[in-house]
Amino acid sequence: MVVHSQKKKNLTDEDKQLAVLDPELADNQGDRWSFVAVLPDSGFIHTVHHSKRTVEQAEVFLSKVKQKSDKMAPLFLSDAWFYEQALYNTYCRYEPKPYCGRGRPAHPVQIIDEQLKYAQVYKERDSKGKLKSLTTRIIKGKEKEILAIVRKSGRSKGINTSFVESRNQKYRKDDARLSRQTMCHSKKARYHDAHADFLTTVVNYCRQNEALKELINPNAKRFETKYRRKSPAMAEGLTDKILTIKELLMTRVPKSTIL
């Protein structure tokens, strides 16, 4: 996702010099990435974090995922980004090293959470961006355990990033601010982020997910209801119906439920 009309690699030396003098301008220049975490069982967009594409920001994103969950290390599937060390730094504990009595005490030892499982999907593309090959890499955990978790949901048979890719398509389809070199592209990061956050809520609460529909009347006749349509929020038990935009904006949320 790009906020400025130019990608980071296309910024001129003058643009970079102006960014040094103005932090706000630097934040609005170049690339603006959205880190997205999707729950595969329901398609619910769990966490979104907007920032620059750095390892430090990846750790901030993962810390938000951990804070909004039970803090247990789940299975992570991603493309070939730099999540490995960020995951290790987020889902770990530090144990002191015994002091031998001489010199400075040693630094604590980092112990990676044994429950953490992580696999990557590596996509190789040609010069025109066309997909040439797709391979998977097991970074942490065993392949049998990872495949068992993936197949348990009943919505996938192998290691892939289809759930996140599907959400990315929805963002690009419904958010004109992501169209670079157009009149609609974002000029300021805060409006760019706000629009993406609003669209995230709409997808979670106001859009039905065809994969979640429930058969309730197999012998339904014409004009009778055969399926119960569900939104990702319904699948997560957060609401009992698909909300309209008006209901979404007018519903008063109790303070105790706000994350």
Side-chain angles (χ1 to χ4, degrees):
M1 299 181 181
V2 182
V3 176
H4 194 264
S5 58
Q6 290 179 313
K7 292 185 176 181
K8 181 180 179 181
K9 64 181 181 180
N10 296 331
L11 293 176
T12 64
D13 292 337
E14 183 180 357
D15 291 331
K16 295 177 182 178
Q17 291 176 358
L18 292 173
V20 173
L21 301 175
D22 189 345
E24 183 180 0
L25 179 61
D27 192 43
N28 294 325
Q29 276 187 344
D31 303 345
R32 185 73 174 179
W33 292 87
S34 291
F35 297 79
V36 180
V38 180
L39 303 181
D41 291 350
S42 61
F44 188 86
I45 302 175
H46 182 270
T47 305
V48 177
H49 175 64
H50 314 284
S51 63
K52 301 295 183 180
R53 189 182 183 183
T54 64
V55 178
E56 294 76 17
Q57 291 299 325
E59 288 193 24
V60 174
F61 165 65
L62 291 173
S63 66
K64 289 183 177 181
V65 173
K66 185 176 181 180
Q67 183 181 8
K68 294 172 65 175
S69 62
D70 57 7
K71 298 181 175 54
M72 299 293 290
L75 165 64
F76 282 91
L77 303 177
S78 76
D79 53 12
W81 270 26
F82 36 63
Y83 285 113
E84 182 177 356
Q85 192 57 50
L87 280 167
Y88 291 166
N89 292 340
T90 303
Y91 292 94
C92 70
R93 67 181 187 276
Y94 292 90
E95 295 185 356
K97 206 170 184 179
Y99 182 54
C100 63
R102 297 181 61 184
R104 295 181 178 179
H107 292 292
V109 180
Q110 185 186 49
I111 307 296
I112 308 300
D113 194 323
E114 295 81 4
Q115 300 301 318
L116 177 63
K117 296 174 181 61
Y118 176 44
Q120 287 184 343
V121 178
Y122 179 74
K123 300 175 183 178
E124 184 181 359
R125 300 181 183 275
D126 58 20
S127 58
K128 296 183 178 180
K130 188 177 180 179
L131 185 66
K132 292 174 57 179
S133 64
L134 190 148
T135 57
T136 58
R137 302 170 180 173
I138 307 299
I139 307 299
K140 182 78 168 58
K142 297 181 179 180
E143 185 174 7
K144 285 185 178 181
E145 296 175 343
I146 292 176
L147 287 175
I149 296 174
V150 171
R151 291 168 180 170
K152 184 179 179 181
S153 65
R155 300 189 62 198
S156 183
K157 296 181 179 179
I159 297 172
N160 60 72
T161 57
S162 59
F163 299 104
V164 173
E165 295 294 344
S166 174
R167 297 302 171 274
N168 287 344
Q169 291 177 1
K170 291 183 183 297
Y171 280 116
R172 293 194 175 277
K173 178 177 71 70
D174 296 335
D175 191 350
R177 289 179 174 272
L178 302 180
S179 300
R180 188 172 56 87
Q181 294 181 342
T182 68
M183 291 294 291
C184 298
H185 82 271
S186 293
K187 284 77 172 175
K188 290 190 176 182
R190 61 174 179 166
Y191 299 125
H192 175 92
D193 298 350
H195 196 148
D197 289 338
F198 174 69
L199 182 58
T200 298
T201 309
V202 170
V203 171
N204 281 339
Y205 288 87
C206 303
R207 301 281 177 82
Q208 68 179 28
N209 189 322
E210 284 296 321
L212 299 174
K213 65 182 181 182
E214 179 184 353
L215 180 63
I216 58 176
N217 186 7
N219 300 318
K221 298 179 181 179
R222 182 179 295 183
F223 305 121
E224 291 183 349
T225 301
K226 185 175 182 179
Y227 294 97
R228 184 190 181 205
R229 309 290 177 174
K230 288 185 177 182
S231 66
M234 290 176 66
E236 287 295 319
L238 299 175
T239 182
D240 58 355
K241 66 174 183 177
I242 299 176
L243 302 181
T244 64
I245 299 294
K246 182 178 180 180
E247 289 174 331
L248 177 69
L249 296 177
M250 300 297 291
T251 300
R252 188 181 297 274
V253 181
K255 292 183 178 180
S256 60
T257 63
I258 301 177
L259 297 177

